[in-house]
Amino acid sequence: MLTSLALILLLGFFGSAVAQKLHLPGLLGMLLVGILLGPSQLNLLSPSMLSISADLRQLALIIILTRAGLSLDLADLKRVGRPALLMCFVPACFEIFGMVLLAPRLLGISTLDAAIMGAVVAAVSPAVIVPRMIRLMDEGWGAEKSIPQLILAGASVDDVFVIVLFTAFTGMAQGGSFSPVALLSVPVSIVLGLAAGLGLGTGLARWLDRPALRLPVQVLLLLSLAFLLVEGENRLEGLIPFSGLLAVMGTGIGLQRRSKACAKALSGAFSTLWVGAEVILFVLVGAEVDVRYAAAAGAMAVITVLGALCFRAVGVCVCLLGSGFSLREKLFCILSYLPKATVQAAIGGVPLAMGLGCGEIVLTVAVIAILVTAPLGALGIELSYRTLLSREVTSTAPEELPPEPTL
């Protein structure tokens, strides 16, 4: 496992540096390194490392969502208003609808199988989007209309909504029936998760903001509590709908509201942690990808993914009607809502493991979605934000999150 971890970090940093030299997103280099190291290619990662891959990826998500909460001001979201709420579920609904229309005709699967595929593909990747939005917030891009905050919040809630739909659709495929209660659990889990996080963060602020507690101790305490919140979601499953990851982000928000100085110091520490966590996350996501599935699917699967993305783009435009955003700002929001990676790697193989007939094609399309949209979305954000967004210059130098790890 130690050898595998060394390979992940060293080659991940190297792949990121090479990609940046070619003016490509660093995560593309990390994904390719993961594909090469993974079981489908060179098979250089130990089974023990792969067995805890899901836990390590979740750890990386906890780090970046905590960092996001520490930077997110609720007043900015209130200023955005209705579009912030709509971005949490409307684009995903449009993409699933697009998949239901396109996949039966292009891939020859049933409507229910297409809905399952749409639920797998529709979730955006917080791991790709959140760190980039944090950097734009720190540097003042799109600050006047709180565009990065809008995208950051929407991308974080979007996953909860889509995963609940995925659970409902797979239950129907196994012989169950559609339950309206499953849909009702979405807003309940969001509200309970955020409320628990805000309450915990507010209470922590007074306790953590003491000179006697050194910053490393504060970071470890906050991380430990975040782990417990995520485990709380697992323990409460089937009893109370609760989103652990949203509770993690809510904790950061609550802490930031009560003590901005403490939140700023913690934010810088979590930025440092993210440098390594990002490499581990995307290399392990790449290791989950089997290129043979993507190659076997052919052009029709790629066309299906791209066609569903067009429906997602329409959904984003619907959310932004009456928002006062310019055409350039709407285009940036569309580009920022394209990337998929972590959720697809996590649930793409679930239908196959459940024995569903659509399992192999769903996994194939999930792999293609990662390979196509993760670099496309990240590259779109990196190349467009200076052109499409205006910048609010502040008198103090912003705290910067390194966009990509470099050698």
Side-chain angles (χ1 to χ4, degrees):
M1 184 183 289
L2 290 177
T3 304
S4 298
L5 185 58
L7 289 173
I8 288 170
L9 291 172
L10 292 173
L11 296 181
F13 279 120
F14 178 74
S16 174
V18 170
Q20 291 176 73
K21 289 289 184 183
L22 299 174
H23 303 288
L24 296 170
L27 71 88
L28 179 58
M30 299 177 218
L31 286 172
L32 292 176
V33 165
I35 292 172
L36 289 174
L37 294 178
S40 68
Q41 298 300 315
L42 301 179
N43 196 23
L44 295 179
L45 299 181
S46 71
S48 54
M49 174 61 73
L50 294 174
S51 68
I52 62 168
S53 173
D55 296 308
L56 291 174
R57 295 199 306 268
Q58 189 171 53
L59 170 61
L61 277 178
I62 288 172
I63 289 172
I64 195 57
L65 286 176
T66 305
R67 170 72 172 88
L70 292 168
S71 304
L72 190 59
D73 192 338
L74 288 181
D76 293 330
L77 284 180
K78 290 178 182 177
R79 191 167 61 198
V80 176
R82 176 185 54 84
L85 176 64
L86 295 179
M87 288 284 275
C88 296
F89 63 92
V90 170
C93 289
F94 270 73
E95 187 167 4
I96 293 172
F97 178 69
M99 189 66 77
V100 169
L101 284 181
L102 297 174
R105 293 163 176 78
L106 297 177
L107 301 177
I109 61 177
S110 69
T111 300
L112 180 56
D113 290 346
I116 294 172
M117 182 181 293
V120 170
V121 173
V124 295
S125 174
V128 178
I129 295 172
V130 170
R132 284 159 179 79
M133 294 305 111
I134 291 174
R135 194 176 89 247
L136 297 188
M137 288 161 55
D138 288 341
E139 296 178 358
W141 293 98
E144 183 183 352
K145 297 179 182 177
S146 303
I147 294 173
Q149 290 88 337
L150 165 73
I151 296 168
L152 187 155
S156 301
V157 178
D158 171 278
D159 291 353
V160 178
F161 174 71
V162 169
I163 289 173
V164 170
L165 287 183
F166 172 75
T167 304
F169 292 149
T170 51
M172 292 171 64
Q174 285 186 309
S177 58
F178 182 77
S179 171
V181 176
L183 285 182
L184 182 63
S185 69
V186 177
V188 174
S189 66
I190 291 170
V191 170
L192 287 181
L194 286 175
L198 286 170
L200 177 61
T202 302
L204 274 177
R206 184 176 299 175
W207 187 58
L208 289 180
D209 194 12
R210 295 187 301 171
L213 276 180
R214 294 178 300 159
L215 182 60
V217 177
Q218 294 177 354
V219 171
L220 291 175
L221 288 173
L222 187 55
L223 260 183
S224 301
L225 290 170
F227 297 159
L228 292 177
L229 286 172
V230 173
E231 177 60 18
E233 178 179 355
N234 299 329
R235 295 297 179 95
L236 293 173
E237 187 175 357
L239 299 174
I240 301 173
F242 178 78
S243 172
L245 289 176
L246 284 182
V248 168
M249 192 168 74
T251 302
I253 295 172
L255 208 158
Q256 188 260 357
R257 290 181 66 194
R258 288 297 299 268
S259 177
K260 293 189 182 298
C262 180
K264 184 176 181 180
L266 285 168
S267 179
F270 274 89
S271 298
T272 303
L273 286 177
W274 174 245
V275 172
E278 181 183 29
V279 178
I280 293 173
L281 172 65
F282 286 111
V283 172
L284 289 177
V285 167
E288 296 286 330
V289 171
D290 191 336
V291 180
R292 290 171 295 183
Y293 282 121
M300 284 301 173
V302 177
I303 293 171
T304 303
V305 170
L306 293 176
L309 285 180
C310 294
F311 280 85
R312 170 173 279 273
V314 174
V316 173
C317 292
V318 169
C319 295
L320 299 178
L321 289 174
S323 63
F325 286 15
S326 68
L327 184 59
R328 288 185 175 186
E329 291 165 338
K330 290 178 181 178
L331 178 57
F332 178 79
C333 292
I334 290 171
L335 292 173
S336 299
Y337 246 50
L338 296 182
K340 324 314 187 144
T342 42
V343 175
Q344 287 69 32
I347 67 174
V350 171
L352 185 61
M354 294 170 70
L356 299 181
C358 64
E360 188 166 328
I361 187 63
V362 168
L363 178 59
T364 301
V365 172
V367 169
I368 289 175
I370 294 171
L371 294 176
V372 171
T373 65
L376 179 65
L379 192 61
I381 295 170
E382 296 293 340
L383 295 181
S384 68
Y385 74 92
R386 294 180 185 274
T387 303
L388 301 179
L389 299 180
S390 58
R391 186 178 188 183
E392 182 180 279
V393 181
T394 57
S395 57
T396 58
E399 175 201 349
E400 292 193 3
L401 172 68
E404 309 283 356
T406 56
L407 286 176

